[in-house]
Amino acid sequence: MSLHLLIALALSGISFARGSDDRLVVPIDTPVPVRFLTPIESGRTHRGWTVEAQTMSDIVAGRCVVIPAYSRLLGIVDESIAGWFFRRRGRLHLTFEGADVGPGGWLSMTAVVEDVEWLPTGDVTSGGQIRALEGSVGHTLAHDAVPVGGLMPVVGEVAAPIGVVSTAVALVGRGARVDIRAGDEATLRLTSPLTLPPGAPCRRSASLPDSVAVPGLDLDSLPARTRGGNGEPGDVLNLIVEGSEEGLLQAFDRADWVVASTGGLRRRVGAAGAVVLGKSYSHAPVSPQRLFGRVEDLAFERQGVNARERHHVRMWAVDSSRTVWVGAANEDVGIYMTVAKPRITHRMAPALDAERDLLVRELEAGGCARRRGYLRIPRCPLSGRNSSGEEFTTDSRAAVVHLEACGGS
């Protein structure tokens, strides 16, 4: 059954309660943040195939929710071209045509991809065509060559020769494919107005409290920050989770995050090789940090298309029953090498609140968690540097998430 027929049949069954004749319209070019549920690879995911995504926020018209957060969207592959020889990159084009807005109800829509997580803005055209990321080693290292304080970036004598050799070897090689994994986030753009029929009920977005109580958590004794391996103040706590360890593992799995490695030579060599070669590396190790006098109990991550980029969080159990957890989430956006102790490590995105909110909405989207609100961590600085010298900014709030029975399939 084609996607068009599926949507037509679904739309034919929609009934709305009679109300006012006002029409709620979401205008053309409105951005729609989504998370992909279907993995897609250009040249292998064929033209005409159906893909699924999930909205990551309410889509509103006026003060009414037209498409609720975490609704399922259906799209179709219009173009899927693998990488060609002589480094010609692969291409992909998707059109989304329907939104599941409730039990048995579908809403017709048209939207194309505006941008994709991990891809530069210029690699998605104004018409929604997605072009594969450049894959050369020289491009990878040069892209990350940004000094951080007193740290030496990987440039010059290291990056230049590797870039020359890799470019020569890969001159006639096949170009990269567009690779979108389940869990990757993106932004769609409406290519026609989205209209809710007259008489449809007006649903409002619920506001979240800014100060919620968490039984079993003593804020007065809770450190605001972790400690790095050098003993200096590390990352800021920005997540509080209520639930069992089993529930925590299941929630992250449903959100398409994986358990980070505890380290070891093989894992570290593999991660370093992936950075140099510009490849992704799941279960990569995270450097240990301390809270309550011990290293993290669990760590989770979601890798980018290159090992230099990832979302990750370290988690500590607060109580002996392991039913209350605190965490420090941040995003890695590049690499550098230290001078005193030559090793490759990650650069951190300074906006910690953006990473906190991304993680929470992905846990909610997985169907195993509900955000109750926020609370402010006492003695948490609004800005500063972590133990590696990375700058950060925050509003000092931690998101409070309650784990619950997972919904959906």
Side-chain angles (χ1 to χ4, degrees), residues 118-350:
W118 316 118
L119 289 183
T121 303
D123 281 356
V124 182
T125 69
S126 59
Q129 185 187 74
I130 309 166
R131 296 175 294 188
L133 184 68
E134 285 284 357
S136 74
V137 177
H139 178 274
T140 297
L141 294 179
H143 177 77
D144 285 323
V146 179
V148 180
L151 302 174
M152 181 181 69
V154 184
V155 290
E157 296 180 357
V158 176
I162 294 177
V164 170
V165 172
S166 65
T167 301
V169 171
L171 181 61
V172 296
R174 185 182 292 275
R177 298 174 184 265
V178 179
D179 185 15
I180 298 175
R181 288 84 47 83
D184 283 354
E185 293 204 13
T187 303
L188 308 184
R189 174 175 54 84
L190 292 180
T191 54
S192 64
L194 179 60
T195 303
L196 197 64
C202 177
R203 292 170 290 184
R204 304 289 179 87
S205 294
S207 59
L208 294 172
D210 201 42
S211 180
V212 298
V214 179
L217 181 65
D218 182 4
L219 281 179
D220 291 333
S221 62
L222 179 67
R225 302 177 64 177
T226 67
R227 291 280 173 179
N230 57 5
E232 296 296 320
D235 294 338
V236 170
L237 297 184
N238 53 12
L239 179 68
I240 299 169
V241 179
E242 302 170 306
S244 67
E245 181 173 349
E246 180 183 2
L248 192 68
L249 291 167
Q250 186 177 31
F252 274 94
D253 179 66
R254 287 284 292 267
D256 293 306
W257 287 53
V258 300
V259 177
S261 168
T262 55
L265 180 61
R266 184 175 66 87
R267 285 287 187 184
R268 295 188 182 279
V269 170
V275 167
V276 172
L277 296 175
K279 304 295 184 181
S280 183
Y281 189 79
S282 62
H283 302 278
V286 297
S287 56
Q289 296 192 16
R290 291 184 173 272
L291 189 74
F292 310 126
R294 68 179 192 272
V295 298
E296 62 273 3
D297 297 308
L298 293 168
F300 301 93
E301 64 186 356
R302 181 165 67 79
Q303 284 278 343
V305 294
N306 186 295
R308 68 175 183 264
E309 300 166 326
R310 64 178 174 179
H311 304 292
H312 66 292
V313 61
R314 299 174 179 87
M315 305 290 300
W316 287 264
V318 172
D319 54 351
S320 58
S321 62
R322 298 169 79 88
T323 56
V324 178
W325 303 78
V326 294
N330 56 61
E331 179 186 8
D332 289 333
V333 293
I335 57 172
Y336 60 81
M337 181 180 287
T338 61
V339 176
K341 184 180 180 181
R343 64 184 180 93
I344 295 175
T345 189
H346 285 91
R347 290 190 290 114
M348 183 183 75

